[in-house]
């Protein structure tokens, strides 16, 4: 009889295209992936992988079995959702991904509430950018992902995912205390046409939003510094190296020497959570969404 966990490993290899990618998606070591595949090959009595340069590829038998594995895993997930729904309890394991400020700003309260109300539910969290976590939900590597739209730019949501709104999060412009506009009660983005900018990594959704938005204001942005973390960006602002957009959710302490300026035409992020439609009946999904919404409501009211 074929082992389900080994079929999951084969499915991950087929989806990720490499041993390291499969290991990352399954949260195991590359050695564990190789061991599981060796055992699966012994079970089926023929090779499923062959070397391909520095990597591997599936044999014809491997691709055939991987197709069956995907269907089997989908049916198992549907069965688990039905059993959980019939029980009416949020139990088992729930894998969630969120971008850094959402993880910091929403999850401590939400996870404490889930632990108190659903002690048999085990939540595993991962810090990922929205594009990565949403793709991981589509692949089945995560059950839930917290993602964002900006007020003037939406992130595409795959059709097989369900979406629930959490909150709107305002953002300010952070400037050095010595900046000419530092004492203004409010500003426009167009006021910073001659400033250097500190931004997120190129290619990320938030980087693309910033460039898109500033160009919409007639500004060709001079992005001089790239930093993933908001606290790092604020440290650069404090040093007088430029300005940045900084959302309020999960912001943390603001360094001395930084002024936060509201934008007259409010700059906002719309934060939401997504999950697979075939998992919609799972009480654990509903419990997590409710906890995140409650945490978002507390943040909005603060």
């Amino acid at each position: 009889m074929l082992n389900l966990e080994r079929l999951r490993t084969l499915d991950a290899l087929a989806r990720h295209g490499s041993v390291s990618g499969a290991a990352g998606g399954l949260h195991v070591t590359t050695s564990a992936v190789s061991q599981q595949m060796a055992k699966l090959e012994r079970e089926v009595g023929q090779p499923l992988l062959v070397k391909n340069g520095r990597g591997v590829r599936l044999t014809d038998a491997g691709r055939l079995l991987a197709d069956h594995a995907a269907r089997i895993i989908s049916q198992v997930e549907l069965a688990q959702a039905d059993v959980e729904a019939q029980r009416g309890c949020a139990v088992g394991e729930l894998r969630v991904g969120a971008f850094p400020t959402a993880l910091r700003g929403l999850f401590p309260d939400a996870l404490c509430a889930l632990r108190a109300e659903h002690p048999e539910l085990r939540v595993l969290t991962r810090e990922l950018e929205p594009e990565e976590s949403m793709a991981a939900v589509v692949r089945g590597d995560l059950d839930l992902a917290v993602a964002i739209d900006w007020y003037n730019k939406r992130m595409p949501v795959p059709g097989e995912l369900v979406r629930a709104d959490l909150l709107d999060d305002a953002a300010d412009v952070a400037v050095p205390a010595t900046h000419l506009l530092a004492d203004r009660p409010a500003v426009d983005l167009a006021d910073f046409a001659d400033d250097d900018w500190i931004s997120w990594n190129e290619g990320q959704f938030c980087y693309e939003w910033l460039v898109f938005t500033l160009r919409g204001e007639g500004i060709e942005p001079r992005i001089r510094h790239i930093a993933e973390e908001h606290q790092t960006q604020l440290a650069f602002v404090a040093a007088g190296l430029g300005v940045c957009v900084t959302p309020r959710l999960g912001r943390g302490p603001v360094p001395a020497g930084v002024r936060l300026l509201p934008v007259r035409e409010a700059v906002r992020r719309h934060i939401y959570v997504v999950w697979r439609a075939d998992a919609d009946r799972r009480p654990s999904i509903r419990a997590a969404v409710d906890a995140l919404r409650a945490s978002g409501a507390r943040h909005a009211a603060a």
Side-chain angles (χ1 to χ4, degrees), residues 103-126:
L103 198 64
R104 186 163 57 245
L106 295 178
F107 275 73
D109 282 352
L111 292 176
C112 286
L114 285 171
R115 185 173 58 187
E117 296 171 19
H118 307 283
E120 294 185 66
L121 179 63
R122 186 163 66 101
V123 183
L124 306 178
T125 59
R126 292 184 66 189

Side-chain angles (χ1 to χ4, degrees), residues 141-288:
D141 296 336
L142 293 176
D143 300 304
L144 284 174
V146 178
I148 57 171
D149 291 330
W150 286 90
Y151 69 102
N152 58 343
K153 188 175 180 65
R154 295 176 66 89
M155 178 176 289
V157 177
E160 61 265 43
L161 300 185
V162 178
R163 162 181 175 151
D165 298 333
L166 297 179
L167 77 154
D168 284 341
D169 178 41
D172 304 305
V173 177
V175 304
T178 56
H179 196 282
L180 291 174
L181 305 181
D183 294 326
R184 290 269 188 94
V187 292
D188 296 311
L189 291 178
D191 294 335
F192 301 96
D194 297 324
D195 282 275
D196 291 340
W197 283 87
I198 302 152
S199 177
W200 301 270
N201 283 333
E202 188 172 355
Q204 288 185 358
F205 181 66
C206 289
Y207 176 96
E208 293 173 354
W209 165 79
L210 181 64
V211 172
F212 169 81
T213 302
L214 293 177
R215 286 175 177 167
E217 296 287 338
I219 302 170
E220 185 56 38
R222 299 202 308 259
I223 297 175
R224 302 300 191 208
H225 306 288
I226 297 292
E228 185 75 21
E229 284 288 335
H230 287 278
Q231 290 305 114
T232 306
Q233 294 181 8
L234 291 175
F236 274 52
V237 173
L241 297 171
V243 301
C244 73
V245 170
T246 178
R248 295 177 186 175
L249 178 67
R251 179 184 285 163
V254 177
V258 173
R259 298 289 183 271
L260 300 177
L261 307 178
V263 182
R264 288 190 186 91
E265 293 187 12
V267 173
R268 291 186 175 273
R269 303 185 300 176
H270 187 61
I271 300 173
Y272 56 95
V273 60
V274 297
W275 63 94
R276 293 189 306 279
D278 60 14
D280 200 41
R281 296 188 295 273
R282 292 178 59 186
S284 58
I285 295 283
R286 293 298 170 186

Side-chain angles (χ1 to χ4, degrees), residues 125-141:
T125 59
R126 292 184 66 189
E127 185 176 288
L128 293 169
E129 288 303 314
E131 309 96 308
E132 298 173 293
S133 61
M134 200 178 299
V137 173
V138 172
R139 293 194 306 265
D141 296 336

